[in-house]
Amino acid sequence: MKLPAPLHLAAHAWYPPGRDLTEDAVLAGRVDPRTARELGYDGLLVSPDTAPPDMAVHAARPLLERISCPPDALGALFHASIHYQGHDIWSAPHYIARRLATAAQPIGLLQQCNGGATGIELAAAALLADASCGPGLVTTADRFFPTGWDRWRGDFGMAVGDAATAVVVHRGEYATDLMLHATGTVSVPELEEMHRGDDTFNYTPLEHSPVIDVRRTKRTFIRRHGIDRFYKAAHQGIREAVTESLANAGLEADDPRLRWAVLPRLGRKAMEEAYIPPLTQVTPAELLDFGRPTGHLGAGDLNASLAQLSREHRLNSGEFALILNSGGGFTFSSFIVGTS
């Protein structure tokens, strides 16, 4: 997305107090030592009691208060998640809107781990398309309860932590953490098979396995096509997304103002094989990894990184950061942000 002028972002992440430390998980047999080393996490965030929609409210409410944005000023509320939100045939975005006392249009997003990034792009598009549209609020929230998802062994290349995020996209009416200069998003739908395998379509959830087991469908994909097919497609998608975002921001790949290239919160081996090679082929910007203390945050990786970039004052005036993200399906996104 090429913006006629930068848009303003304010971001906040809500993290639960609990963590499952890697050393404890290894000792208890929740993860084997080799997998723990390949993942490289210090631990995973754990929310045993708070439901995901309430986690989203916990992220959004203090953010709106901090930037002095009244809930009734919001134009739309986008909520993204990858896992169960607590009820069947029910709209979590409407619940979040009710809890925040906002009349903003509630919209649910199912873009897997790229949901938070997609929400920001949609909020930006709404602001550009309609001058009367109020700021967009983007929330994400996921809780990986063990009865439905083995947080350490449910997938290859990542382990998942519980968290919620909130991002307000606006034109400058409220306090600002970062400026959104451009995005680049590329979809590679040939990779949707990685999360489907050769399973038939279900009539009800969890017919194929008693818990979410992405390893099983990925093994099927690898047996059929080989892992190199994923690497080739992923590398191309990442290169294209990063190149597009830089071009849309008017930045050269080696621009010294590009201070950071922020990685998704995936396992260390997965990033070294699938994400870092194509990223570093495009730009020499210094890599930044926020994921070691948290684990992968479902739909919220990019949005949590926005909050952390701002909170840790990682950018000086005139500097930029590139934030890379991806989601099953597959979609790859690259955002260019800077200071206000």
Short mmCIF file of all heavy atoms in Angstrom, two decimals, residues 20 24 49 66 72 93 97 106 113 137 143 148-149 156-157 159 162 167 175 218 235 248 265 269 285 292:
data_model
loop_
_atom_site.label_atom_id
_atom_site.label_comp_id
_atom_site.label_asym_id
_atom_site.label_seq_id
_atom_site.Cartn_x
_atom_site.Cartn_y
_atom_site.Cartn_z
N ASP A 20 5.58 -19.85 30.84
CA ASP A 20 6.08 -21.22 30.90
C ASP A 20 7.52 -21.17 30.42
O ASP A 20 7.79 -21.10 29.22
CB ASP A 20 5.25 -22.13 30.01
CG ASP A 20 5.62 -23.61 30.18
OD1 ASP A 20 6.41 -23.91 31.10
OD2 ASP A 20 5.11 -24.44 29.40
N ASP A 24 11.78 -25.15 32.35
CA ASP A 24 10.76 -25.90 33.09
C ASP A 24 9.99 -26.83 32.16
O ASP A 24 9.66 -27.96 32.53
CB ASP A 24 9.78 -24.94 33.75
CG ASP A 24 10.43 -24.10 34.85
OD1 ASP A 24 11.48 -24.52 35.38
OD2 ASP A 24 9.88 -23.02 35.16
N ASP A 49 -6.48 -17.72 32.84
CA ASP A 49 -7.82 -17.35 33.30
C ASP A 49 -8.56 -16.37 32.40
O ASP A 49 -9.79 -16.37 32.36
CB ASP A 49 -7.74 -16.75 34.71
CG ASP A 49 -7.12 -17.70 35.72
OD1 ASP A 49 -7.46 -18.90 35.66
OD2 ASP A 49 -6.31 -17.26 36.53
N ARG A 66 -4.73 6.46 26.99
CA ARG A 66 -3.41 7.10 26.91
C ARG A 66 -3.33 8.13 25.80
O ARG A 66 -2.70 9.19 25.97
CB ARG A 66 -2.32 6.03 26.71
CG ARG A 66 -0.93 6.60 26.46
CD ARG A 66 0.15 5.56 26.53
NE ARG A 66 0.08 4.55 25.50
CZ ARG A 66 0.55 4.70 24.27
NH1 ARG A 66 1.11 5.85 23.91
NH2 ARG A 66 0.47 3.72 23.39
N ASP A 72 -16.19 6.63 21.28
CA ASP A 72 -17.23 6.97 20.31
C ASP A 72 -16.68 7.70 19.09
O ASP A 72 -17.41 7.98 18.14
CB ASP A 72 -18.35 7.78 20.96
CG ASP A 72 -17.86 9.08 21.59
OD1 ASP A 72 -16.69 9.45 21.38
OD2 ASP A 72 -18.65 9.72 22.30
N PRO A 93 -15.71 -9.59 17.98
CA PRO A 93 -15.57 -8.15 17.76
C PRO A 93 -16.73 -7.33 18.33
O PRO A 93 -16.52 -6.23 18.86
CB PRO A 93 -15.51 -8.02 16.23
CG PRO A 93 -15.03 -9.35 15.76
CD PRO A 93 -15.58 -10.35 16.72
N ALA A 97 -16.47 -4.39 21.13
CA ALA A 97 -17.07 -3.07 20.93
C ALA A 97 -18.01 -2.72 22.08
O ALA A 97 -18.01 -1.58 22.57
CB ALA A 97 -17.82 -3.05 19.60
N PRO A 106 -17.95 -3.32 14.16
CA PRO A 106 -17.06 -4.42 14.53
C PRO A 106 -16.92 -5.41 13.38
O PRO A 106 -17.91 -5.86 12.79
CB PRO A 106 -17.79 -5.08 15.72
CG PRO A 106 -19.01 -4.23 15.98
CD PRO A 106 -19.30 -3.49 14.71
N CYS A 113 -1.96 -15.87 11.10
CA CYS A 113 -1.01 -15.07 11.87
C CYS A 113 -0.77 -13.69 11.28
O CYS A 113 -0.07 -12.87 11.88
CB CYS A 113 0.31 -15.82 12.02
SG CYS A 113 0.12 -17.45 12.75
N LEU A 137 -9.58 1.00 15.09
CA LEU A 137 -8.97 0.25 16.18
C LEU A 137 -8.79 -1.19 15.72
O LEU A 137 -9.74 -1.83 15.26
CB LEU A 137 -9.85 0.28 17.43
CG LEU A 137 -9.42 -0.63 18.59
CD1 LEU A 137 -8.07 -0.23 19.14
CD2 LEU A 137 -10.48 -0.62 19.70
N ARG A 143 -5.39 -17.16 22.99
CA ARG A 143 -5.00 -17.94 24.16
C ARG A 143 -4.98 -19.41 23.74
O ARG A 143 -5.99 -19.94 23.26
CB ARG A 143 -5.98 -17.73 25.32
CG ARG A 143 -5.63 -18.52 26.56
CD ARG A 143 -6.63 -18.30 27.69
NE ARG A 143 -7.94 -18.80 27.34
CZ ARG A 143 -8.96 -18.93 28.21
NH1 ARG A 143 -8.80 -18.54 29.46
NH2 ARG A 143 -10.12 -19.40 27.82
N GLY A 148 -6.94 -27.69 23.66
CA GLY A 148 -7.18 -27.54 22.23
C GLY A 148 -5.93 -27.34 21.40
O GLY A 148 -5.96 -27.52 20.18
N TRP A 149 -4.81 -26.97 22.06
CA TRP A 149 -3.60 -26.66 21.30
C TRP A 149 -2.39 -26.91 22.20
O TRP A 149 -2.28 -26.31 23.28
CB TRP A 149 -3.62 -25.19 20.86
CG TRP A 149 -2.59 -24.81 19.84
CD1 TRP A 149 -1.26 -25.08 19.88
CD2 TRP A 149 -2.80 -24.07 18.64
NE1 TRP A 149 -0.63 -24.56 18.77
CE2 TRP A 149 -1.55 -23.93 17.99
CE3 TRP A 149 -3.93 -23.50 18.04
CZ2 TRP A 149 -1.40 -23.25 16.79
CZ3 TRP A 149 -3.78 -22.83 16.85
CH2 TRP A 149 -2.53 -22.70 16.23
N PHE A 156 5.39 -26.91 13.64
CA PHE A 156 6.83 -26.83 13.41
C PHE A 156 7.26 -25.37 13.37
O PHE A 156 6.54 -24.50 12.88
CB PHE A 156 7.20 -27.47 12.07
CG PHE A 156 7.05 -28.97 12.03
CD1 PHE A 156 6.23 -29.57 11.09
CD2 PHE A 156 7.73 -29.77 12.93
CE1 PHE A 156 6.11 -30.95 11.04
CE2 PHE A 156 7.62 -31.15 12.89
CZ PHE A 156 6.80 -31.75 11.95
N GLY A 157 8.45 -25.09 13.86
CA GLY A 157 9.04 -23.77 13.67
C GLY A 157 8.54 -22.69 14.58
O GLY A 157 8.96 -21.52 14.45
N ALA A 159 6.51 -21.92 18.75
CA ALA A 159 5.71 -22.27 19.91
C ALA A 159 4.94 -21.00 20.26
O ALA A 159 5.41 -19.89 20.01
CB ALA A 159 6.58 -22.73 21.07
N ASP A 162 0.41 -16.54 24.81
CA ASP A 162 -0.87 -15.86 24.92
C ASP A 162 -0.64 -14.35 25.06
O ASP A 162 0.18 -13.92 25.88
CB ASP A 162 -1.65 -16.35 26.14
CG ASP A 162 -1.83 -17.86 26.14
OD1 ASP A 162 -1.75 -18.47 25.06
OD2 ASP A 162 -2.07 -18.42 27.23
N VAL A 167 -4.04 -1.50 18.30
CA VAL A 167 -3.42 -0.45 17.50
C VAL A 167 -4.51 0.50 17.02
O VAL A 167 -5.53 0.04 16.49
CB VAL A 167 -2.66 -1.03 16.29
CG1 VAL A 167 -2.11 0.10 15.40
CG2 VAL A 167 -1.53 -1.94 16.74
N ALA A 175 -2.66 11.27 20.19
CA ALA A 175 -1.24 11.02 20.45
C ALA A 175 -0.74 9.90 19.53
O ALA A 175 -1.46 8.96 19.20
CB ALA A 175 -1.03 10.65 21.91
N LYS A 218 1.49 -30.54 7.82
CA LYS A 218 2.74 -30.10 7.19
C LYS A 218 3.59 -31.30 6.78
O LYS A 218 4.27 -31.25 5.74
CB LYS A 218 3.51 -29.17 8.13
CG LYS A 218 2.89 -27.78 8.22
CD LYS A 218 3.74 -26.84 9.06
CE LYS A 218 3.16 -25.43 9.06
NZ LYS A 218 3.95 -24.49 9.88
N HIS A 235 10.51 -17.65 0.24
CA HIS A 235 11.58 -16.70 -0.04
C HIS A 235 11.14 -15.67 -1.08
O HIS A 235 11.40 -14.47 -0.93
CB HIS A 235 12.82 -17.44 -0.52
CG HIS A 235 13.54 -18.18 0.55
ND1 HIS A 235 14.82 -18.69 0.39
CD2 HIS A 235 13.18 -18.50 1.83
CE1 HIS A 235 15.20 -19.29 1.50
NE2 HIS A 235 14.21 -19.19 2.38
N ASN A 248 7.29 1.58 -1.98
CA ASN A 248 6.14 2.41 -1.63
C ASN A 248 6.50 3.51 -0.64
O ASN A 248 5.85 4.57 -0.60
CB ASN A 248 5.01 1.55 -1.06
CG ASN A 248 4.31 0.72 -2.13
OD1 ASN A 248 4.40 1.02 -3.32
ND2 ASN A 248 3.61 -0.32 -1.70
N ARG A 265 7.83 -13.36 15.30
CA ARG A 265 8.22 -14.04 16.55
C ARG A 265 8.14 -15.56 16.39
O ARG A 265 7.48 -16.26 17.17
CB ARG A 265 7.34 -13.54 17.69
CG ARG A 265 7.46 -12.04 17.89
CD ARG A 265 6.66 -11.52 19.05
NE ARG A 265 6.76 -10.07 19.10
CZ ARG A 265 6.82 -9.35 20.23
NH1 ARG A 265 6.78 -9.96 21.40
NH2 ARG A 265 6.92 -8.03 20.19
N LYS A 269 15.24 -21.49 14.35
CA LYS A 269 15.61 -22.26 13.16
C LYS A 269 14.73 -21.90 11.97
O LYS A 269 15.23 -21.76 10.84
CB LYS A 269 15.50 -23.76 13.45
CG LYS A 269 15.90 -24.64 12.28
CD LYS A 269 15.79 -26.12 12.60
CE LYS A 269 16.16 -26.98 11.39
NZ LYS A 269 16.01 -28.42 11.67
N ALA A 285 19.64 -3.88 6.57
CA ALA A 285 19.23 -3.30 7.85
C ALA A 285 19.45 -4.30 8.99
O ALA A 285 19.30 -5.52 8.80
CB ALA A 285 17.77 -2.88 7.80
N ARG A 292 11.93 -13.73 21.66
CA ARG A 292 12.52 -14.74 22.55
C ARG A 292 11.81 -14.84 23.91
O ARG A 292 11.65 -15.95 24.43
CB ARG A 292 14.01 -14.45 22.77
CG ARG A 292 14.90 -14.50 21.53
CD ARG A 292 14.65 -15.71 20.66
NE ARG A 292 13.67 -15.45 19.61
CZ ARG A 292 13.02 -16.39 18.93
NH1 ARG A 292 13.23 -17.66 19.20
NH2 ARG A 292 12.15 -16.07 18.00
#
